[in-house]
Amino acid sequence: MNNFQLIVNEVKKAVNGKDRAIVTSLLAILANGNILIEDIPGVGKTTMAVAFSKALGLKYSRVQFTPDTLPSDITGFAVYNKDSGKITFNKGAIFCNLFLADELNRTSSRTQAALLEAMEEQQVTVEGHSYPLERPFSVIATQNPAGASGTQLLPDSQTDRFMVRISMGYPDNDSECKMLLNRSHSNPLDDVNCVVTKEQLVEMQNSVKEVFVKREIAEYIVSLASATRNSNLILRGASPRATLSLTDMAKSAAYAAGKDYVTPQDIQNVFLPTLGHRIILSSESVSRHLSSEQVLKHILSKVRVPRI
């Protein structure tokens, strides 16, 4: 059994019936990306994030975002030390390996923006000084559904920085029953063990970067992105950053399957969670009651698949 499956199995000890969400999240972590989980409260979003931190041996930090959360709570702040006569930097919660931004869409736009530099460049800048974050580093952010009490939409610039968006959804009856029985005497998170060290995770991420992408595969990825920009069902298509994210996720999927090269199937497997949150549907799609998933599946069926 490879390390990828070991990690998945370990997280599944605490999260029942959510195999697809677990696999997609791990692919994003291996691709050095950030994860957005959109769902109602109480379906296991935080539990999954904590389980990943334990299985991967990562330093974990969580902030419950509220309207009065300040940017300095995230990035840290500089203060003058009168004893030494120097400015001292106090690190914020973002200085960890796995940062859980819980209910990110409940806080102010200014506080949301405090995450942008960390998510894109893996560093924060305070009072003109930049401080690098430790590798590996990923953000798992949760948001309540749009329109829920006390929420506001994330800006497009921030949404685009999440490599994938997933939904946990309600568990099936069997999984929910298993959850009740497992929690009757103990917390399943206590059974999650570290199966991969931080150093091993970084090695896995480096291996993902080395996965080969053939010219025909690159052209296929660009064709898919271009199709989202030229479809009458989509008002705004995928950005160039989305194209890069799709490539990285496909490389991660290939690595997880034990390959050192990307195939069209790898791209198709990660296409929906990677692009679903990056497009805006047109009025035609809305009038036809089409979802982002349905529109993207239509694009997948229309773009020619290369032979390799």
Side-chain angles (χ1 to χ4, degrees):
M1 185 181 298
N2 59 28
N3 283 341
F4 185 91
Q5 194 59 49
L6 281 174
I7 298 167
V8 170
N9 290 346
E10 208 63 30
V11 175
K12 284 168 64 176
K13 290 181 180 179
V15 183
N16 298 313
K18 302 300 176 187
D19 293 13
R20 180 177 296 182
I22 293 171
V23 169
T24 302
S25 298
L26 183 52
L27 290 177
I29 291 173
L30 291 181
N32 208 29
N34 306 297
I35 303 153
L36 179 63
I37 308 176
E38 183 179 66
D39 221 318
I40 61 172
V43 292
K45 302 185 294 292
T46 303
T47 299
M48 186 174 73
V50 175
F52 268 118
S53 71
K54 297 189 69 173
L56 299 172
L58 301 178
K59 181 183 177 183
Y60 161 81
S61 183
R62 174 192 178 191
V63 170
Q64 179 69 50
F65 282 81
T66 61
D68 58 355
T69 302
L70 299 175
S72 58
D73 295 331
I74 312 304
T75 60
F77 54 91
V79 295
Y80 176 73
N81 189 322
K82 64 180 181 180
D83 295 328
S84 64
K86 296 180 180 179
I87 300 294
T88 302
F89 176 63
N90 295 301
K91 293 182 177 180
I94 198 72
F95 285 86
C96 59
N97 301 119
L98 189 62
F99 179 71
L100 175 60
D102 220 350
E103 296 185 306
L104 181 59
N105 60 340
R106 287 190 60 214
T107 196
S108 67
S109 298
R110 183 183 178 192
T111 302
Q112 290 173 359
L115 282 174
L116 291 177
E117 184 181 13
M119 293 171 62
E120 186 71 14
E121 303 175 37
Q122 297 194 352
Q123 68 173 28
V124 296
T125 301
V126 178
E127 300 292 341
H129 295 280
S130 296
Y131 302 92
L133 300 173
E134 180 184 353
R135 284 196 65 195
F137 174 79
S138 289
V139 172
I140 298 181
T142 71
Q143 67 170 352
N144 295 330
S149 177
T151 64
Q152 57 181 327
L153 291 175
L154 294 179
D156 295 340
S157 60
Q158 185 144 29
T159 303
D160 200 38
R161 282 172 167 81
F162 287 102
M163 185 166 283
V164 295
R165 181 186 66 182
I166 62 174
S167 175
M168 301 288 288
Y170 289 113
D172 57 43
N173 289 354
D174 183 62
S175 296
E176 192 163 8
C177 183
K178 184 178 179 181
M179 178 191 72
L180 292 177
L181 294 174
N182 288 343
R183 289 178 177 267
S184 61
H185 300 293
S186 63
N187 186 346
L189 282 171
D190 296 335
D191 298 327
V192 179
N193 301 308
C194 176
V195 292
V196 173
T197 65
K198 285 194 300 184
E199 293 73 23
Q200 289 174 316
L201 178 57
V202 171
E203 289 178 6
M204 294 171 71
Q205 291 176 332
N206 290 336
S207 296
V208 167
K209 292 179 182 178
E210 298 301 319
V211 172
F212 179 67
V213 178
K214 197 174 182 180
R215 172 78 185 191
E216 290 83 353
I217 292 296
E219 291 174 348
Y220 180 49
I221 292 173
V222 171
S223 295
L224 287 170
S226 180
T228 68
R229 300 163 190 163
N230 298 310
S231 171
N232 60 347
L233 298 175
I234 298 176
L235 180 64
R236 191 189 66 201
S239 68
R241 183 187 285 119
T243 309
L244 293 172
S245 293
L246 182 57
T247 304
D248 290 340
M249 280 293 289
K251 291 167 71 173
S252 187
Y255 171 82
K259 299 177 296 185
D260 60 0
Y261 60 94
V262 174
T263 65
Q265 186 63 53
D266 297 319
I267 299 165
Q268 294 161 6
N269 288 342
V270 300
F271 187 67
L272 298 183
T274 307
L275 265 68
H277 59 298
R278 303 173 189 266
I279 63 172
I280 296 178
L281 299 181
S282 67
S283 56
E284 179 179 347
S285 292
V286 175
S287 65
R288 292 168 58 182
H289 304 289
L290 297 176
S291 66
S292 296
E293 182 176 330
Q294 290 172 315
V295 171
L296 290 176
K297 284 182 177 179
H298 174 74
I299 287 175
L300 273 178
S301 68
K302 294 298 181 181
V303 175
R304 187 185 68 84
V305 180
R307 293 182 178 180
I308 60 169

